[in-house]
Amino acid sequence: MFYAIVGEDRPDSLAERLAARPAHVERLKALQDEGRLLLAGPFPAIDSPDPGPSGFSGSLIVAEFASLEAARNWADADPYVVSGVYSAVTVKPFKKVLPA
């Protein structure tokens, strides 16, 4: 089943986010290589694809896991969690409807 993982950045965390990004992306690429990643990306803090120093307000990952517990465990080990970028993480089951 798919699960949506929504991480909310803590204020002024852009430097930590940039430092942890290579490890974060590496984990996402592993999910992609396994055919389990539906989509992933950040929420720019301003209405721009490149928010510059305004940074990001969080991220969304939708990926396939064996269970809600497995999705939570994966999210808890994310470099953005470990380095303190995220102030909160929500994990919910996700049902993909469209595109088919």
Side-chain angles (χ1 to χ4, degrees):
M1 177 165 197
F2 285 110
Y3 294 88
I5 301 169
V6 180
E8 297 178 39
D9 286 21
R10 68 172 175 73
D12 302 314
S13 62
L14 182 57
E16 291 88 349
R17 177 183 263 274
L18 294 175
R21 186 175 187 278
H24 171 78
V25 170
E26 183 177 318
R27 293 180 84 231
L28 293 172
K29 285 183 179 179
L31 286 177
Q32 182 179 23
D33 291 346
E34 295 167 7
R36 296 170 45 204
L37 183 65
L38 184 62
L39 64 90
F43 299 118
I46 60 173
D47 189 13
S48 172
D50 181 5
S54 294
F56 301 90
S57 63
S59 302
L60 170 64
I61 299 163
V62 180
E64 188 174 17
F65 293 93
S67 66
L68 180 58
E69 180 181 5
R72 285 185 177 141
N73 289 339
W74 188 92
D76 287 345
D78 191 90
Y80 286 173
V81 171
V82 174
S83 66
V85 172
Y86 292 155
S87 62
V89 177
T90 302
V91 181
K92 295 181 179 186
F94 180 82
K95 182 178 177 183
K96 181 181 182 261
V97 175
L98 293 172

